[in-house]
Amino acid sequence: MSLLRLFSRPALSVSSRATMSAPRSALQVVRHQSTESSYTNILVSNPRPGVGLITLNRPKALNALSSELFVELNKALKDYEDDKEIGAIVLTGSDKAFAAGADIKEMAPLTFSEAYVNNFIAPWSYITTLRKPVIAAVSGHALGGGCELAMMCDILYCTKTANFGQPEIKLGTIPGAGGSQRLTAALGKSKAMELILTGNNLSGEEAEKHGLAAKAFEGGNKEVLEGALDTAAKIASYSRVAVIAAKEVVNKSQDLGVREGVEYERRIFHSLFGSQDQKIGMKAFAEKKKPTWSHL
Ligand code: DAK
């Protein structure tokens, strides 16, 4: 299938989404979904109330990120973004690989004209435009584009043995989806430069130590996924208005200086006095009750 056709492919349905019933083990849900999903490269499910789970599912290629996978991933992300029942999204892979990078076999024969005219991998950054928080749960390899995809998420959780890296230098190229920028922002110039110029890897344990990951878990994908789902469920239990505003102001800190960022935060803070949920939240506190959010 040509890249051009992939980008114009009709939307796939997410009709297989599990219902939002009592919490279940994430792995149970993933198994349940695998028989029903109309996607071929990902699995989608709702393992916790308010939480959308997307599992990259190309096990034979270590979840290499093909164009077709990205069409499906972006469709699933958009469906969760549009779904009023969903408050947070978790993106994960398998024990062995979150994603071993862009699909090298798909990329290898590309000419400049094909890449340029068809806007090869342009859809990669769609995930960064979402307003709902996305948590990456990384186990195994997160290399090249896999590392970049994980870093595009709002919170990164990993296993202690996860394997992060930007090995593009070994392929005669460089990171192409923000790796040089986001890795440098997370690790500092010297460490990021060392990793990108040598193609060396960083363990999950080191990723946590250097601030690339918020938390590194003992165990495998099951454990890191449970941690990510717990956090996602907690976020989804809050006012959507406040969550979106909080994500927006934190992200602004990446683009603005401290003074402008603080002013920006204050404007958004002021505007939240216009939301119903600010009234609901503060009234509930004063009355020692649990707030029931309107999400308005
Ligand atoms: N692409 C395609 N297939 C891959 C793959 C990849 N990135 N990684 C692994 N596979 C396939 C292998 O070819 C193998 O397939 P078969 O031979 O069985 O058919 C299967 O997955 C299992 O892999 P291995 O046999 O190699 O498994 P090992 O456990 O021995 O090794 C490994 C695991 C992760 C160390 C190794 O597979 C590996 O080094 N993989 C490549 C890692 C890599 O170099 N990743 C960076 C790719 S470059 C852009 C945005 C982003 C990018 C580019 C442009 N724009 C917006 C323009 C991103 C570029 C990249 O990510």
Side-chain angles (χ1 to χ4, degrees), residues 8 28 30 49 127 129 137 157 174 221 235 240 253 268 286:
S8 56
Q28 275 177 319
V30 167
I127 195 167
T129 67
Y157 284 171
I174 64 168
N221 205 58
I235 293 169
R240 304 265 192 277
S253 73
I268 301 291

Side-chain angles (χ1 to χ4, degrees), residues 178-227:
S180 63
Q181 308 303 299
R182 292 195 176 91
L183 204 62
T184 306
L187 302 180
K189 178 182 156 184
S190 185
K191 190 73 193 162
M193 192 71 92
E194 181 195 36
L195 291 178
I196 289 169
L197 292 183
T198 61
N200 289 349
N201 295 339
L202 190 79
S203 71
E205 200 163 6
E206 289 173 297
E208 182 191 35
K209 191 174 98 194
H210 292 287
L212 178 67
K215 193 168 177 184
F217 291 73
E218 296 284 356
N221 205 58
K222 181 174 182 290
E223 286 73 22
V224 66
L225 181 54
E226 287 296 331

